[in-house]
Amino acid sequence: NAGVTQTPKFRVLKTGQSMTLLCAQDMNHEYMYWYRQDPGMGLRLIHYSVGEGTTAKGEVPDGYNVSRLKKQNFLLGLESAAPSQTSVYFCASSYELGLAGAQTDTQYFGPGTRLTVL
Amino acid sequence: AQSVSQHNHHVILSEAASLELGCNYSYGGTVNLFWYVQYPGQHLQLLLKYFSGDPLVKGIKGFEAEFIKSKFSFNLRKPSVQWSDTAEYFCAVNGPYSGGYQKVTFGIGTKLQVIP
């Protein structure tokens, strides 16, 4: 199993350009997440999905859009990149335990995408 | 809203020293607790987790953590660190539920530097 993969690994954009980050998982996980990691701020949740066809906003959703058309893929889009979006982006996925209240288990992370917006 | 506090942002230890990293959370209901580790240049991976049962949890590479419900704490410990433990450590808490989803909150992270 490849686990969680992300493409691309690195990208440099100019302000105003758009791009899409792709996350794929082969573990049949229901839940998928996009985080950004910035120095001194830890991991912040951008958007998440609790199943195919569903998405929801996290802590810092502004400037980003997501789609989950297939269970194994979770796309993160930047419509008009800004320098404030320079960051390392991590995708993760997890099981939903299926117990009462739908507990989320261990998150499996991808290798990250380092994005620089000039 | 849930908050997770990691008190030490940067810790420097010599090899063989003992380690304790603090983690406190705010939500008073049922929670699941995790410690993740991020080695330099790598992605986050699970170190250990607590869902229920024995509040002393053992993880990989000799790490353990103790859940103290009354103190809302889940501190990470290792009796003797090695240079290879140099990494960033994140505490994470699942809970509460919102919209059928158990919200996940990460702490800010603690950078551990072990000096040979």
Side-chain angles (χ1 to χ4, degrees):
Chain A
N1 288 349
V4 180
T5 57
Q6 291 182 233
T7 52
K9 288 186 168 55
F10 302 94
R11 187 70 187 268
V12 178
L13 291 179
K14 293 181 180 178
T15 297
Q17 287 185 316
S18 63
M19 76 164 295
T20 301
L21 282 67
L22 172 63
C23 174
Q25 53 96 2
D26 61 2
M27 296 173 282
N28 202 35
H29 285 167
E30 288 294 333
Y31 290 1
M32 295 188 75
Y33 317 79
W34 276 106
Y35 294 93
R36 59 179 290 174
Q37 184 180 31
D38 302 290
M41 304 194 76
L43 281 169
R44 292 182 292 169
L45 183 65
I46 305 171
H47 286 280
Y48 63 96
S49 167
V50 299
E52 181 179 318
T54 71
T55 62
K57 293 180 180 179
E59 297 174 66
V60 289
D62 293 343
Y64 305 95
N65 57 75
V66 288
S67 64
R68 183 107 180 263
L69 299 178
K70 294 183 180 179
K71 185 176 184 179
Q72 63 268 33
N73 295 337
F74 194 28
L75 277 65
L76 178 72
L78 285 73
E79 292 180 344
S80 179
S84 60
Q85 294 178 303
T86 294
S87 186
V88 180
Y89 291 86
F90 286 100
C91 175
S93 69
S94 69
Y95 286 115
E96 184 256 5
L97 290 178
L99 302 175
Q103 296 183 70
T104 53
D105 203 338
T106 305
Q107 293 189 42
Y108 294 82
F109 286 83
T113 296
R114 187 172 293 276
L115 174 66
T116 301
V117 182
L118 302 175
Chain B
Q2 174 75 276
S3 66
V4 178
S5 299
Q6 291 184 240
H7 314 297
N8 313 101
H9 296 165
H10 197 177
V11 174
I12 302 173
L13 293 173
S14 298
E15 274 192 315
S18 65
L19 170 72
E20 180 158 2
L21 301 181
C23 173
N24 286 91
Y25 62 93
S26 60
Y27 179 62
T30 301
V31 292
N32 303 324
L33 301 154
F34 304 79
W35 276 98
Y36 289 88
V37 60
Q38 185 178 27
Y39 297 105
Q42 296 188 25
H43 60 281
L44 277 80
Q45 54 189 288
L46 182 71
L47 205 53
L48 49 78
K49 63 183 178 182
Y50 172 82
F51 272 43
S52 64
D54 189 343
L56 185 61
V57 179
K58 295 193 185 298
I60 60 171
K61 303 187 179 184
F63 285 91
E64 64 179 33
E66 185 176 12
F67 170 50
I68 303 179
K69 190 174 181 180
S70 61
K71 295 185 178 180
F72 298 87
S73 70
F74 190 54
N75 292 355
L76 181 70
R77 299 195 291 250
K78 185 170 184 179
S80 176
V81 295
Q82 301 173 318
W83 177 79
S84 58
D85 294 325
T86 294
E88 192 161 13
Y89 294 81
F90 293 90
C91 181
V93 180
N94 287 3
Y97 292 98
S98 175
Y101 165 69
Q102 192 179 27
K103 181 175 166 56
V104 179
T105 304
F106 280 82
I108 200 170
T110 297
K111 287 188 178 178
L112 170 66
Q113 185 180 355
V114 179
I115 302 169

